[in-house]
Amino acid sequence: MKNQWIHTFSGTVKVKLTGKGIERFLNQLTRNGVSIWNVKKHGSEAVTFYVNLQDVKKLRIPARDSNCKIRFLERAGGPFFLRKLWTNSGFLAGAFLFLALMILLSNMVWGIEIKGASPATEHQIRKELDRLGIGVGKLQFSLDSVESIQKELTDKVGALTWIGVELKGTTYHFQAVEKSEPKKAEVIGPRHLVAKRKAAIYKIFVEKGEPVVEVNDYVKPGQLLVSGLYGKEDDLKVVAAEGKILGETWYTTKVELPLKSTFQVYNGNEKKKYSIIVAGKDLPVWGFGKPEFSEYETEVSEQPVRFFRWELPLKVGKKTLREREQVTRIYSKEEAIESAKDLARKDIKNYLPENAIIKGEKILHQSIENDKVKLTTHFTIIEDIAEGQPIIKETENDRRLKNDGNTTSEPN
């Protein structure tokens, strides 16, 4: 009959009817609007048929009036299936818990492998991983993304040039590339040391060669400082001049600093939300409701759910809402000038070699215009001003440079 599948959900019963008044019984059921189907005759006084579970009570009166006996043979459909499930609920709960446990274990960290790192660097990496909360037994959903872990390790472990981070199943794989040892000093050919910028000689440290300038001499770019030629004119020896010639050099910087500035900062408050992502739709599971703060930035990450090696068509979404607030910084005139000085020092260091020293500083110009402090600062720097210049061939000019090396010139 049509729509018989509906009866499967509501429940069906197979009935066997015996007696002499079978036809009278079936006619009365039809008049009462009771649906029966698959009616089969078994001899002259027996018949079987199916009826809805909800109509079973309607069979008693017609059976009594027709002197027939009813026997229920089979029960099927939703209500009986649910009853069986309830009867065996212990097995069902056990199977569900086993499946949930397997999924949970498949999404935990069970191994950390580090390759390419020395024992000392590996110890630093593992120490940093502990600080990040990454270890055996941790849920992958609660950890930072692979990209964030890679950035943190590169920034915090100084011995690393690069580190690759990959999550395979339940194991993190780290491939480290350490900074290479300093290269051996290259063989340097015969050379002079000459000045690379205008300066006043401050100190002289010569390892090889013959100095041709003295302390307090003024030199120009390209002027000879240490000669790679020494000895008598008829017995000159050629060497690669080496040493440090510290010179007093001069720089000027200009900086501007507003008296009032507004910027956004994080204040440390945050709220985390977790959800299950199915077919691109989020189903929230933790962290309901809106955050208590109104100004915030949201960081979103997704972690696939695994069952052993396989990725399930599910993902765990993580949203971190970090509160931010607007801060207005207002300097007094004195504070602005001091901050501008610090800014000028930081600026000048970007142009200096690593071992340079700031000897002195002097403010040449200072003003406040349009709510900005404008500062022009003159710096006196002590730095190595020597650079190598290959000796191609000894000429008369070389001898003249050597003999006239102590000649000084005033800076512009």
Side-chain angles (χ1 to χ4, degrees):
M1 59 183 300
K2 296 181 179 180
N3 299 328
Q4 188 172 343
W5 61 272
I6 298 177
H7 302 312
T8 303
F9 290 102
S10 60
T12 60
V13 178
K14 185 178 182 180
V15 180
K16 183 176 183 181
L17 183 66
T18 57
K20 296 181 178 181
I22 293 177
E23 292 183 1
R24 192 183 321 122
F25 176 87
L26 297 178
N27 291 333
Q28 189 170 351
L29 288 183
T30 303
R31 287 193 298 269
N32 293 340
V34 177
S35 297
I36 60 174
W37 62 92
N38 289 348
V39 180
K40 294 182 181 180
K41 194 173 183 180
H42 302 277
S44 59
E45 295 184 358
V47 68
T48 59
F49 58 89
Y50 288 86
V51 67
N52 289 327
L53 177 61
Q54 60 187 7
D55 292 333
V56 168
K57 293 181 180 179
K58 297 179 181 180
L59 303 181
R60 295 178 180 175
I61 295 176
R64 190 182 307 120
D65 293 342
S66 57
N67 295 321
C68 293
K69 292 183 179 180
I70 297 175
R71 182 182 175 190
F72 300 110
L73 301 180
E74 296 179 6
R75 297 175 177 85
F80 302 106
F81 176 74
L82 293 176
R83 184 178 297 176
K84 287 182 180 179
L85 285 181
W86 179 254
T87 304
N88 301 295
S89 58
F91 295 101
L92 183 63
F96 178 78
L97 290 175
F98 174 78
L99 181 62
L101 182 61
M102 288 297 101
I103 292 177
L104 182 66
L105 295 178
S106 299
N107 289 276
M108 295 180 73
V109 178
W110 293 112
I112 295 176
E113 294 184 1
I114 301 175
K115 295 182 180 179
S118 63
T121 303
E122 181 176 344
H123 175 72
Q124 291 181 348
I125 293 173
R126 291 188 182 276
K127 188 175 180 180
E128 191 62 28
L129 290 176
D130 289 340
R131 186 186 69 81
L132 294 173
I134 300 172
V136 174
K138 298 290 186 179
L139 275 173
Q140 298 176 14
F141 310 134
S142 62
L143 305 179
D144 292 335
S145 64
V146 168
E147 292 78 11
S148 297
I149 295 171
Q150 183 179 32
K151 184 178 183 303
E152 283 289 328
L153 291 177
T154 304
D155 292 343
K156 299 296 183 181
V157 182
L160 292 176
T161 298
W162 175 86
I163 186 167
V165 184
E166 187 177 9
L167 177 60
K168 291 183 178 179
T170 59
T171 303
Y172 275 100
H173 297 268
F174 297 89
Q175 183 64 48
V177 178
E178 296 190 54
K179 294 180 180 177
S180 57
E181 297 180 358
K183 295 182 179 179
K184 295 182 179 179
E186 297 180 1
V187 178
I188 302 174
R191 68 175 186 178
H192 298 304
L193 292 182
V194 299
K196 58 185 176 182
R197 63 179 294 113
K198 182 172 67 174
I201 302 302
Y202 184 73
K203 282 186 181 180
I204 300 174
F205 304 93
V206 178
E207 297 179 22
K208 292 182 181 179
E210 186 173 347
V212 297
V213 293
E214 296 180 355
V215 174
N216 296 326
D217 285 349
Y218 289 95
V219 295
K220 293 181 178 180
Q223 184 173 335
L224 182 65
L225 302 176
V226 179
S227 174
L229 303 173
Y230 69 96
K232 298 180 179 179
E233 291 190 9
D234 57 350
D235 187 23
L236 285 176
K237 295 183 180 179
V238 183
V239 297
E242 292 184 16
K244 287 184 178 181
I245 309 299
L246 300 182
E248 186 178 294
T249 58
W250 309 276
Y251 295 81
T252 301
T253 64
K254 295 181 180 181
V255 296
E256 292 184 0
L257 184 69
L259 294 176
K260 181 179 179 180
S261 57
T262 302
F263 48 92
Q264 300 281 343
V265 297
Y266 295 121
N267 62 9
N269 294 331
E270 65 179 26
K271 180 181 178 67
K272 293 184 178 181
K273 295 186 174 186
Y274 293 91
S275 61
I276 300 295
I277 303 174
V278 183
K281 294 185 178 181
D282 284 5
L283 302 176
V285 295
W286 186 262
F288 300 98
K290 295 183 179 180
E292 298 177 355
F293 34 85
S294 57
E295 292 291 330
Y296 58 88
E297 286 190 6
T298 305
E299 180 183 335
V300 180
S301 62
E302 295 180 359
Q303 178 70 41
V305 178
R306 294 181 174 85
F307 184 70
F308 294 103
R309 296 182 181 179
W310 304 278
E311 285 191 8
L312 301 179
L314 301 174
K315 291 183 179 180
V316 174
K318 177 183 176 183
K319 291 183 180 180
T320 304
L321 285 63
R322 294 187 175 91
E323 184 180 11
R324 64 185 182 189
E325 58 185 19
Q326 183 171 292
V327 176
T328 300
R329 181 175 56 192
I330 301 177
Y331 288 113
S332 65
K333 180 180 177 181
E334 292 75 16
E335 291 173 339
I337 292 174
E338 288 301 317
S339 296
K341 288 180 180 179
D342 292 337
L343 188 61
R345 294 186 194 104
K346 292 178 181 178
D347 181 56
I348 195 63
K349 287 180 180 179
N350 293 328
Y351 301 96
L352 298 178
E354 194 173 322
N355 55 356
I357 300 172
I358 298 177
K359 181 183 178 183
E361 60 182 79
K362 182 179 179 181
I363 298 177
L364 301 180
H365 177 73
Q366 163 185 319
S367 64
I368 298 179
E369 299 176 10
N370 300 324
D371 292 330
K372 290 184 179 179
V373 171
K374 296 184 178 181
L375 206 65
T376 303
T377 310
H378 178 271
F379 288 95
T380 301
I381 307 297
I382 303 299
E383 61 177 306
D384 187 0
I385 62 169
E387 64 179 359
Q389 184 183 78
I391 299 176
I392 306 301
K393 183 180 179 182
E394 183 194 359
T395 63
E396 191 63 31
N397 186 52
D398 293 325
R399 295 191 183 95
R400 192 179 301 112
L401 284 172
K402 179 180 178 181
N403 295 331
D404 299 339
N406 289 328
T407 303
T408 62
S409 57
E410 293 296 330
N412 293 332

